[in-house]
Amino acid sequence: MAKHMMRAAALIVSAAIAAGLTGCGEDKAATPKDATIMNIGIVQLVEHDALDAANRGIIDGMAKRGFKDGVNVKFDKQNAQADQSNLHNIATRFVSNKDKLIFAIATPAAQSVASVTKEIPIVATAVTNFEVARLVKSNKAPGGNVTGVSDINPVADQLALLLKLTPGAKAVGTIYNSSEINSAYQIELLREAAKAHKVDVIEATVSNVNDIQQAIASIKDKVQALYIPTDNVMASAIPALLKVTNPAKLPVVAGESGMVRAGALASIGVDYYTLGVMTGNMGADILEGKAQPATMPIQIQQATKVLINMKAAKEIGLDVPAELLKDADKIE
């Protein structure tokens, strides 16, 4: 009897130990190796094709480097809907949350975030010229907490493309938001390029989407074609612009390909998704401790490929020269 009781006791103790070990194993499995999740802010100025593509590129670029949303990072994605007070509130939110890194998409977004923190690393994209926008000391050596990727388009090449599409043009029109410093910078480049071709530039400015139709109406009879820079107001309202330019048979060459997909005639523009991936890679370098914004030169994506919207050409009755069609990407 005593033997049976001792065996039973031994079995109970063994079972208890096994259960305890099993329980410990379950606890260990339930605890991730690294429970730290870093907060990362993403602020986008406004919704339109180009900036949306850049946003996607940032997320994908970070993921390819191992920074995945909900795994080891948490992206706080915010859209300011082109409102300056929204930008300020979003920037303040990121600082209050002690984000490890902030991505800013478009110049006003980058300027707003940079105005509220000199400590948190900021990687911006869709900014034409960081130095002109006073975001960095110089594009080669930023010197502060801001760096990123420029979306500067080849303005001189864009004008040359426009003149090939409209041979004999004497005056080119342009519409832009004068309060966007990088839009104004592109128009300076346009004026310089136009001098070399002995072409006049006739300008109209807007402050919001509601001004566009009046602006184009004021210059459409004075020009033979239109150039639109990478301007956030204009990018948001290409359909409104085309309601006036198409009936007037005015070719529209745009600063970026998203505007061409929206109905403009042609562009030699950067790819904003690729721009976003480049931006995400810069952010990953910072998080991995490989670099700091102060010593990371502004990156530039070289744009060389022509994109032509064949439907837009047909709409305005324009025959695209065969030499351009030969090597161009086409939207049918």
Side-chain angles (χ1 to χ4, degrees):
M1 185 74 174
K3 281 185 179 180
H4 290 300
M5 290 180 68
M6 288 176 68
R7 282 181 188 170
L11 288 171
I12 291 170
V13 170
S14 298
I17 292 171
L21 290 172
T22 304
C24 289
E26 287 174 354
D27 288 344
K28 188 174 182 180
T31 303
K33 290 181 181 179
D34 184 2
T36 302
I37 295 182
M38 294 180 286
N39 291 325
I40 296 176
I42 302 180
V43 56
Q44 179 175 326
L45 174 64
V46 68
E47 291 178 32
H48 62 68
D49 184 83
L51 301 191
D52 292 348
N55 200 323
R56 292 194 302 273
I58 289 171
I59 301 295
D60 290 351
M62 287 282 283
K64 288 176 183 176
R65 292 286 296 273
F67 295 98
K68 299 182 180 180
D69 194 18
V71 178
N72 53 358
V73 297
K74 181 180 179 182
F75 290 115
D76 185 359
K77 294 179 276 190
Q78 299 293 321
N79 192 304
Q81 302 298 339
D83 185 278
Q84 195 63 42
S85 62
N86 285 347
L87 280 175
H88 179 75
N89 291 338
I90 291 167
T92 303
R93 167 196 176 107
F94 291 163
V95 174
S96 297
N97 289 345
K98 298 180 179 179
D99 288 359
K100 294 294 184 183
L101 178 71
I102 298 172
F103 289 107
I105 306 174
T107 304
Q111 289 172 324
S112 185
V113 177
S115 71
V116 298
T117 179
K118 303 300 179 187
E119 304 296 329
I120 300 173
I122 299 167
V123 185
T125 194
V127 175
T128 303
N129 189 311
F130 284 70
E131 193 173 335
V132 169
R134 298 181 180 179
L135 289 165
V136 298
K137 290 179 180 178
S138 79
N139 291 325
K140 291 183 179 179
N145 66 320
V146 180
T147 188
V149 186
S150 167
D151 67 345
I152 189 165
N153 69 89
V155 177
D157 292 344
Q158 300 276 28
L159 178 61
L161 172 62
L162 184 151
L163 295 175
K164 286 179 182 177
L165 290 164
T166 55
K170 298 297 181 184
V172 172
T174 187
I175 304 174
Y176 63 101
N177 177 7
S178 57
S179 66
E180 278 202 32
I181 191 168
N182 278 318
S183 296
Y185 173 70
Q186 290 173 77
I187 303 309
E188 286 182 20
L189 297 179
L190 176 65
R191 293 190 201 108
E192 291 175 12
K195 286 178 184 177
H197 291 280
K198 297 181 180 179
V199 172
D200 292 329
V201 175
I202 299 177
E203 304 172 25
T205 60
V206 297
S207 58
N208 57 57
V209 172
N210 297 327
D211 298 337
I212 289 176
Q213 290 198 12
Q214 183 178 349
I216 184 60
S218 71
I219 65 172
K220 68 181 180 65
D221 295 327
K222 305 173 186 177
V223 301
Q224 289 79 55
L226 202 66
Y227 168 74
I228 302 298
T230 53
D231 180 291
N232 289 295
V233 170
M234 298 306 300
S236 300
I238 291 298
L241 175 75
L242 297 176
K243 285 182 180 179
V244 181
T245 59
N246 281 350
K249 307 299 180 184
L250 276 179
V252 177
V253 169
E256 56 91 10
S257 57
M259 297 183 190
V260 180
R261 286 189 286 272
L265 175 62
S267 180
I268 310 172
V270 299
D271 180 87
Y272 277 77
Y273 177 80
T274 302
L275 209 70
V277 172
M278 292 168 66
T279 307
N281 277 323
M282 293 183 79
D285 283 344
I286 292 169
L287 291 178
E288 290 174 356
K290 293 178 178 178
Q292 292 297 323
T295 55
M296 299 174 77
I298 302 305
Q299 294 188 17
I300 296 174
Q301 180 192 155
Q302 297 298 326
T304 58
K305 195 71 174 179
V306 175
L307 177 66
I308 298 175
N309 188 323
M310 301 305 294
K311 182 179 179 182
K314 184 177 180 180
E315 182 79 21
I316 62 174
L318 186 144
D319 292 324
V320 179
E323 64 178 55
L324 286 178
L325 288 176
K326 183 174 63 175
D327 297 319
D329 288 336
K330 295 175 279 292
I331 297 174
E332 301 292 346

